[in-house]
């Protein structure tokens, strides 16, 4: 199998180390090819290159090369994005039959399937007339009392070096200021995502060898100018906003080990360092204008697309560095989450556009799932905001056709009326409608969390309260209230106690989906070939074996089923809470609509029962018809106001029951049962948590047996409670590196643990093999150096190549000089040279096998030995004639060799004997 399995997908060798083609005077020979792809031996293995007729889009999802139906790894895009390359050590690529570009967010879709042709689903009509919550008392999208002044700063295209990128980046931003506001203002930083970098036509196309800075004749795409709506709404209400440019990162991040998350975080902190200077001593482009005007202890971050992963990483990096900035609120907008990081301590709201055609698996859902219980005592609130009818791009006007200065597109392409995301579908939002929703939720979130404007609490508490400016948009919010304002009854991630389930009902804990490898130890939640419809349960690309969210699947065949959760003594008085809540979704294998009753019982046996369908549409399947990534199977909020539990003694609640009395048979997922009230909680950098880092190591391969290499995972300080983190080897592990995936648990006082990785030795000359040890999903800790880098150094001698003289008769046709290798190699051995006449004349007595007889004679001759073999070919064609003549001779001079030892130049003699 090529490159292990899909679960080991990661940055390829070229991406990890920047390995490129050989720098010899001639390009490496093509050793396998079709009309659109080829394979060449290079310094790090085999370079697989796919040639496209048109530029590939620059997407947030990772570009993958799929070989014979198996994703091999992450590809590097050329500056013009017409070629995609990766380097593999697996010689199986030499036998590839089909190579194509696929995207990480789209895996599982039928090859080439157009998203727009999805058919209508059984519940689409329900969502076109979906329930609407009450209007908020104040509209977060409305302009406030301040006029807004704008300005820009540009310190140069390569003003700062980003270690996470290993390149220099621009420092450029657009500033939105409330005119006349007095005193230091909260600061909100916007970071756009991965989009095209430059537009226009280059003056000299040959100059376009680097993706950044833009070559003469081309201009940078001003993605940072695309958020005027939320920036103006915030600034007019007294907030300082800066939207920053990240084109350099977009240009270079295919070289980054983590797809650029660390670099984006570093760029944010570099901008905050500028504002620390400008708001204290002044200087730069603004003089003293902002001195005393910025509160850097009250900072919010919004990141779109890969910028969402960037702002999540920035919040953690800031805490790792001691919390020098008061980052208190993070809003990832349609984000990527390639490495299963957590964002504890700070308020977070993740916006998930239902019709995201780029990050179509809505992987940002995992930020919420992974963070919600990751730290004991975490007082920060968090939520997800699912926006039906919204795509990935249109939140940014510079990514929107008709509004952008550069070419742009609808990422969910197609104008079908039937598809729930087609441009003509009644539930699809126009660009301006989507931007209004974005403005309302971005502005509302930061006004709530940074400004403590509590009139916006209901916007994020799961009650589906609406902002007037969001118009017809259907939005569903899932909320986790701050710890001090909630009482968790059952996470539903472990089996219910014996006796808790009765009647014709089963309750099974599940996690993950069919297809991706998993280490959860529990059954899968879904059988699906389209991972895009399972945001909770599909895998992350750099942490593919970290278990995904565990929930309980209820399945019943009668109306007498009961799943009972008892309320412990001391927690039975629930009068101070506003609602009983849990997350739920219908099982896609069952009916598109189902129902349950929620029954609350007090100490005297009095009870109140509420049908889920009376308060929520969580058990109605979302739009779509099991095709092209739809419907999304997302857990949604069931919220029952405590005030509606009539007749129940709220001082003495003994149990909450989920009953199957509404539908005779059905199946549904449930999670996170508890009582809660909306509130601000306490949000601040999590500086008190220990930081987890993985070491980097190199080891010689060895000659026989299996030995080990030890990584160390260290904590920055001891903890008084256990700290855990998942670790796994990641990369194209080949035959040398063992597959390791497990959870580490640090006992109180313990500060380091060893992770032993088996290395299989051999005696074949091979390529050095880089790989990663990835840390993910920590509990009661923060990720610091979350990627440890490993390198298996090949220590076997390079075999010696022997090529002998040739004797052939005129009638021999294509023949080979004798070629022998002293030992089998894992490398493709190639060598080349030139043919020179002696008494034999080219095209009269012989010619090269690649010479078609037209134009100037081709005197090139190339040879090779395939991996694992000791004999090879060095071919030439002997031409027959009808003339009786003496023996003739010519020479082949080998002047280049790769993968073997041969003293150069090497001159060989070929003797042709006459057959007439």
């Amino acid at each position: 199998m090529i490159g292990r399995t899909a679960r080991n997908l990661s940055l390829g060798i070229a991406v990890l180390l920047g390995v490129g083609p050989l720098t010899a005077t001639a390009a490496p020979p093509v050793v396998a090819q079709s009309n659109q792809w080829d394979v060449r031996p290079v310094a790090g293995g085999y370079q697989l290159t796919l040639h496209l007729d048109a530029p590939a889009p620059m997407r947030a999802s990772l570009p993958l090369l799929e070989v014979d139906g198996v994703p091999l790894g992450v590809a590097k895009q050329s500056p013009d994005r017409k070629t995609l390359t990766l380097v593999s050590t697996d010689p199986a690529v030499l036998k590839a039959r089909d190579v194509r570009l696929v995207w990480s967010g789209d895996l599982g879709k039928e090859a080439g399937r157009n998203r727009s042709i999805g058919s209508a689903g059984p519940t689409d009509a329900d969502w076109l007339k979906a329930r609407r919550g009450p209007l908020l008392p104040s509209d977060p999208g409305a302009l406030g009392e301040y006029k807004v002044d704008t300005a820009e700063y540009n310190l140069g295209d390569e003003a700062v070096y980003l270690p996470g990128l290993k390149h220099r980046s621009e420092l450029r931003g657009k500033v939105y200021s409330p005119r006349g506001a007095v005193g230091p203002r909260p600061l909100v930083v916007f970071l756009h995502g991965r989009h095209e970098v430059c537009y226009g036509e280059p003056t000299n196309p040959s100059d376009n060898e680097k993706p950044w800075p833009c070559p003469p004749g081309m201009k940078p795409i001003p993605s940072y100018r695309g958020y005027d709506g939320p920036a103006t709404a915030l600034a007019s209400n007294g907030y300082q906003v800066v939207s920053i440019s990240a084109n350099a990162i977009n240009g270079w991040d295919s070289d980054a080990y983590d797809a650029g998350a660390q670099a984006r975080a570093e760029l944010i902190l570099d901008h905050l360092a500028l504002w620390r200077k400008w708001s204290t001593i002044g200087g730069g482009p603004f003089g003293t204008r902002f001195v005393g005007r910025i509160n850097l202890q009250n900072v919010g971050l919004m990141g779109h697309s890969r910028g969402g992963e960037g702002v999540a990483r920035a919040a953690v990096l800031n805490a790792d560095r001691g919390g020098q900035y008061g980052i208190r609120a993070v809003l990832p907008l349609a984000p990527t989450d390639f490495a299963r990081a957590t964002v504890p301590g700070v308020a977070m709201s993740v916006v998930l556009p239902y019709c995201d055609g780029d990050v179509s698996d809505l992987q940002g859902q995992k930020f919420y799932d992974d963070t919600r219980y990751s730290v004991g005592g975490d007082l920060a609130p968090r939520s997800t905001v699912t926006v039906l009818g919204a795509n990935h791009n249109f939140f940014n006007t510079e990514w929107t056709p008709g509004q952008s200065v550069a070419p742009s597109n609808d990422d969910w392409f197609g104008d079908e009326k039937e598809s729930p995301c087609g441009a003509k579908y009644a539930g699809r939002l126009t660009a301006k409608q989507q931007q209004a929703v974005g403005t309302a939720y971005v502005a509302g979130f930061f006004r709530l969390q940074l400004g403590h404007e509590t009139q916006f609490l209901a916007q994020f508490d799961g009650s589906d309260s609406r902002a007037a400016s969001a118009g017809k948009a259907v939005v569903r919010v899932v909320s986790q209230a701050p710890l001090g304002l909630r009482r968790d009854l059952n996470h539903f991630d472990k089996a219910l106690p014996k006796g808790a389930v009765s009647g014709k009902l089963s309750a099974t804990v599940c996690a993950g989906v069919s297809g991706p490898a998993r280490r959860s130890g529990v059954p899968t939640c879904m059988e699906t070939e389209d991972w895009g419809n399972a945001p909770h349960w599909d895998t992350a690309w750099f942490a593919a074996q970290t278990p995904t969210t565990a929930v309980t699947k209820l399945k019943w065949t009668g109306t007498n089923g009961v799943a009972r959760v008892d309320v412990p003594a001391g927690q039975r008085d629930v009068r101070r809470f506003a609602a009983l809540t849990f997350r739920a979704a219908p099982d896609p294998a069952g009916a598109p609509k189902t129902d349950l009753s929620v029954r609350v019982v007090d100490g005297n046996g009095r009870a109140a029962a509420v049908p889920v369908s009376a308060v929520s549409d969580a058990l109605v399947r979302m739009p779509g018809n099991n095709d092209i990534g739809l419907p999304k199977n997302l857990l949604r909020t069931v919220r029952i106001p405590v005030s509606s539990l009539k007749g129940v003694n709220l001082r003495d609640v003994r149990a909450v029951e989920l009953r199957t009395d509404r539908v005779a048979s059905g199946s549904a997922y449930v999670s996170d049962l508890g009582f809660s009230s909306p509130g601000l909680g306490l949000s601040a950098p999590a500086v008190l948590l220990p930081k987890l880092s993985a070491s980097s190591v190199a080891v010689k391969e060895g000659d026989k047996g299996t030995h080990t290499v030890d990584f160390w995972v260290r904590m920055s300080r001891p903890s008084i409670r256990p700290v855990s983190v998942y670790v796994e080897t990641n990369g194209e592990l080949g035959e040398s590196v063992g597959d390791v995936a497990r959870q580490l648990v640090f006992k109180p006082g313990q500060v380091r643990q060893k992770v032993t990785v088996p290395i299989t030795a051999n005696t074949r000359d091979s390529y050095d093999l880089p790989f990663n040890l990835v840390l993910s999903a920590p509990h009661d800790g923060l990720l610091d150096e979350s990627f440890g880098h490993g390198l298996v150094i090949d220590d076997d001698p390079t075999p010696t190549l022997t090529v002998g003289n040739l004797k052939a008769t005129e009638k021999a046709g294509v023949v080979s000089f004798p070629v022998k290798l002293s030992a089998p190699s894992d490398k493709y051995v190639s060598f080349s040279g030139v043919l020179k006449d002696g008494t034999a004349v080219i095209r009269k007595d012989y010619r090269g096998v690649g010479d078609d007889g037209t134009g100037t004679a081709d005197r090139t001759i190339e040879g090779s030995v395939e991996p694992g073999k000791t004999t090879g070919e060095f071919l030439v064609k002997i031409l027959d004639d009808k003339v009786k003549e003496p023996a003739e001779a010519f020479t082949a001079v080998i002047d280049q060799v790769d993968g073997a030892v041969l003293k150069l130049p090497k001159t060989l003699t070929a003797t042709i004997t006459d057959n007439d």
Side-chain angles (χ1 to χ4, degrees):
M1 173 174 281
I2 293 174
R4 300 285 273 225
T5 63
R7 62 187 168 83
N8 278 330
L9 291 176
S10 73
L11 292 175
I13 306 301
V15 175
L16 283 165
L17 293 185
V19 174
L22 293 174
T23 57
T25 55
V30 172
V31 294
Q33 65 181 331
S34 79
N35 59 349
Q36 282 201 299
W37 55 266
D38 59 63
V39 179
R40 297 173 185 266
V42 296
Y46 303 101
Q47 179 177 276
L48 174 63
T49 302
L50 177 66
H51 306 276
L52 304 177
D53 295 330
M58 182 172 281
R59 290 179 51 175
S61 288
L62 297 171
L64 313 172
L65 289 187
E66 185 180 80
V67 178
D68 297 336
V70 178
L72 178 59
V74 180
K76 180 177 179 179
Q77 294 176 317
S78 63
D80 66 2
R81 301 197 309 282
K82 287 186 177 181
T83 60
L84 294 104
T85 60
L86 61 77
V87 176
S88 170
T89 59
D90 193 336
V93 298
L94 299 172
K95 300 178 181 179
R97 299 180 301 276
D98 178 68
V99 177
R100 64 184 60 200
L101 168 65
V102 296
W103 298 91
S104 62
D106 299 343
L107 280 190
K109 293 185 176 67
E110 182 180 338
R113 181 86 172 174
N114 187 320
R115 292 189 191 93
S116 68
I117 64 176
S119 56
T123 63
D124 291 4
D126 297 86
W127 290 100
L128 290 175
K129 58 179 190 294
R131 67 172 71 237
R132 294 165 65 83
L135 282 173
L136 293 166
S138 179
D139 187 353
L143 296 180
E145 62 180 292
Y146 297 99
K147 298 291 185 182
V148 177
D149 293 326
T150 62
E152 293 197 12
Y153 59 94
N154 181 0
L155 305 187
D157 287 341
E158 297 180 290
V160 63
Y161 179 77
L162 302 177
L165 192 68
K166 294 184 170 60
H167 288 280
R168 301 190 71 83
S169 169
E170 77 270 34
L171 284 176
R172 180 177 299 160
K174 184 172 182 180
V175 183
Y176 305 79
S177 304
R179 184 186 302 169
V182 177
R185 316 307 298 179
L187 175 65
V188 182
V189 178
F190 291 171
L191 174 64
H192 66 83
R194 193 170 195 260
H195 193 68
E196 283 81 0
V197 174
C198 306
Y199 71 105
E201 295 296 329
T203 304
N204 183 358
S206 64
D207 290 341
N208 194 23
E209 297 177 356
K210 297 191 303 182
W212 183 259
C214 296
M218 301 190 77
K219 297 180 180 179
I221 293 180
S223 295
Y224 67 101
R225 295 176 182 161
Y227 305 105
D228 280 353
T232 301
L234 281 165
S236 69
N237 283 283
Y239 296 77
Q240 181 73 36
V241 181
V242 180
S243 183
I244 66 174
S245 177
N247 278 331
I249 298 176
N250 287 345
W252 293 111
D253 66 357
S254 66
D255 289 331
Y257 61 87
D258 63 351
Q262 176 74 11
R264 289 178 171 91
E266 291 165 355
L267 181 65
I268 290 169
L269 297 188
D270 286 336
H271 277 271
L272 290 178
L274 287 176
W275 283 98
R276 178 170 56 189
K277 177 182 176 183
W278 294 341
S279 64
T280 53
I281 63 175
F286 302 117
T288 60
R289 175 180 171 184
F290 291 105
V291 172
R293 300 292 182 87
I294 309 293
N295 182 1
L296 287 172
Q297 292 308 308
N298 196 16
V299 175
L301 307 177
M302 183 280 283
H304 187 183
S305 189
R306 286 200 194 180
E309 195 166 8
V311 298
R313 178 63 189 147
V316 173
L317 183 61
N318 178 61
D320 288 339
R321 295 179 177 180
Q324 55 186 320
Y325 306 107
I327 297 174
R328 302 180 185 278
V330 172
L331 189 148
L333 174 64
T336 59
D337 178 13
F338 298 136
R340 299 287 299 279
T342 59
V343 194
V346 300
M348 178 175 64
S349 187
V350 184
V351 178
L352 304 172
Y354 192 75
C355 297
D356 194 320
D358 190 344
V359 189
S360 55
D361 54 358
L362 303 187
Q363 58 196 252
Q365 172 66 51
K366 293 183 178 64
F367 279 128
Y368 177 92
D369 290 345
D370 290 342
T371 304
R372 72 196 198 285
Y373 303 123
S374 68
V375 172
D378 189 345
L379 300 176
R382 49 193 56 90
S383 59
T384 64
V385 177
T386 302
V387 184
L388 271 68
N391 73 357
H392 186 84
N393 285 352
F394 289 178
F395 291 108
N396 186 315
T397 58
E398 291 297 336
W399 298 1
T400 304
Q403 298 178 358
S404 59
V405 299
S408 56
N409 69 293
D410 178 354
D411 52 278
W412 194 288
F413 43 84
D415 58 2
E416 298 292 320
K417 291 183 179 180
E418 293 78 17
S419 170
C421 293
K424 293 182 179 178
Y425 181 69
R428 178 67 191 272
L429 301 178
T430 67
K432 289 187 177 180
Q433 289 170 336
Q434 179 172 328
Q435 289 154 14
V437 176
T439 292
Y441 280 87
V442 171
F445 175 71
F446 290 116
R447 290 178 66 182
L448 173 64
Q449 297 301 333
L450 302 183
H452 293 181
E453 297 186 56
T454 55
Q455 67 268 32
F456 302 120
L457 273 172
Q459 190 178 7
F460 297 95
D461 69 355
S463 64
D464 297 327
S465 296
R466 296 178 293 124
S469 60
K472 72 169 190 177
V474 176
V475 179
R476 291 294 179 259
V477 174
V478 172
S479 174
Q480 184 187 45
L483 183 61
L485 295 172
R486 75 175 197 268
R487 179 169 297 162
D488 297 331
L489 297 180
N490 199 308
H491 299 167
F492 287 124
D493 59 349
K494 295 180 176 61
L496 292 171
K498 184 177 181 180
V501 180
S502 60
K504 294 183 177 181
L505 170 70
S506 64
T508 306
V509 176
C510 66
V513 296
S514 60
R518 56 192 173 82
R519 294 295 179 94
S520 62
V522 299
T524 56
C525 289
M526 289 176 56
E527 297 295 320
T528 179
E529 296 301 321
D530 188 346
W531 305 346
N533 63 16
H536 299 283
W537 301 307
D538 70 334
T539 59
W541 292 102
F542 300 147
Q545 300 191 70
T546 296
T548 54
T549 303
V551 302
T552 291
K553 182 190 286 190
L554 301 177
K555 188 172 184 177
W556 63 95
T557 56
T559 57
N560 64 344
V562 178
R564 179 182 174 100
V565 176
D566 291 322
V567 181
Q571 298 183 23
R572 295 169 178 167
D573 186 344
V574 299
R575 289 173 297 168
R576 69 185 181 93
F577 298 108
L580 172 67
T581 67
F582 61 98
R583 294 195 293 169
D587 177 2
K593 298 180 188 178
T594 191
D595 204 1
L596 293 163
S597 286
V598 182
R599 187 169 180 264
V600 180
V601 185
D602 69 14
N604 294 317
R606 292 175 298 202
V610 178
V612 168
S613 58
V615 294
S616 172
D617 47 28
L619 293 179
V620 177
R621 187 180 300 168
M622 300 192 83
N625 194 32
N626 292 324
D627 200 3
I628 57 173
L630 299 177
K632 305 299 183 190
N633 293 284
L634 285 167
L635 298 164
R636 284 157 281 139
T637 297
V638 178
R639 189 176 189 274
I640 302 171
V642 167
S643 60
S644 69
L645 301 176
K646 303 300 184 183
V648 173
N649 181 4
L650 299 178
R651 294 183 178 86
D652 188 26
V653 171
R654 297 297 180 97
V656 176
E657 298 173 345
L658 302 181
R659 291 181 163 251
T660 67
D661 55 358
R662 301 288 300 175
V663 179
S665 64
S667 183
Y669 310 110
V670 293
S671 179
D672 301 333
L673 177 68
F675 289 95
S676 65
S677 296
L680 289 168
L682 179 64
S683 180
V687 295
L688 299 181
L689 291 175
K691 286 80 175 174
L692 292 153
S693 295
S695 65
S696 292
V697 297
V699 62
K700 289 185 177 180
E701 178 190 72
D703 291 335
K704 62 181 180 179
T706 299
H707 59 113
T708 61
V709 59
D710 294 332
F711 288 84
W712 288 95
V713 178
R714 293 180 171 85
M715 290 208 306
S716 58
R717 62 167 182 78
S719 175
I720 61 173
R721 55 188 176 189
V723 174
S724 65
V725 67
Y726 287 93
V727 299
E728 63 184 84
T729 48
N730 182 273
E732 191 190 341
L733 306 181
E735 297 179 357
S736 298
V737 180
D739 187 5
V740 173
R742 63 190 178 97
Q743 187 183 35
L744 299 181
V745 179
F746 291 82
K747 298 176 181 179
Q750 190 176 11
V751 294
R752 70 173 191 162
Q753 286 204 51
K754 183 168 62 176
V755 178
T756 298
V757 177
I759 305 297
T760 301
N762 66 45
T763 57
R764 299 185 304 276
D765 187 32
S766 306
Y767 301 103
D768 293 346
L769 182 64
F771 65 99
N772 289 326
L773 185 77
V774 181
L775 310 184
S776 61
H779 191 275
D780 284 324
L782 284 179
L783 294 181
D784 189 359
E785 299 291 337
S786 59
F787 282 72
H789 304 295
L791 182 66
V792 179
I793 302 170
D794 180 72
D795 55 1
D796 299 308
T798 302
T800 300
L801 179 67
T802 302
V803 186
N805 295 325
L806 170 67
K807 290 184 178 181
T809 62
E810 280 185 343
K811 66 179 181 179
V814 176
V815 292
S816 177
F817 288 83
V819 175
K820 187 173 183 180
L821 204 60
S822 61
S825 173
D826 285 340
K827 296 179 179 179
Y828 186 96
V829 176
S830 63
F831 48 100
S832 61
V834 294
L835 297 166
K836 295 184 178 182
D837 292 347
T839 53
V841 178
I842 197 164
R843 284 193 176 170
K844 177 177 177 292
D845 302 302
Y846 73 97
R847 72 182 183 191
V849 293
D851 189 346
D852 61 4
T854 63
T856 304
D858 182 359
R859 291 184 174 274
T860 301
I861 182 169
E862 296 177 343
S864 64
V865 181
E866 293 185 3
K869 296 184 177 181
T870 56
T871 58
E873 295 179 329
F874 195 45
L875 302 176
V876 66
K877 186 173 185 179
I878 307 301
L879 303 179
D880 197 2
D881 60 29
K882 303 300 181 181
V883 179
K884 185 174 178 62
E885 54 194 347
E888 299 169 313
F890 65 94
T891 58
V893 181
I894 302 174
D895 54 16
Q896 291 191 58
V897 64
D898 181 61
V901 176
L902 177 66
K903 186 176 181 180
L904 299 178
K906 174 69 173 179
T907 300
L908 306 170
T909 300
T911 303
I912 306 172
T913 57
D914 185 63
N915 66 337
D916 298 302

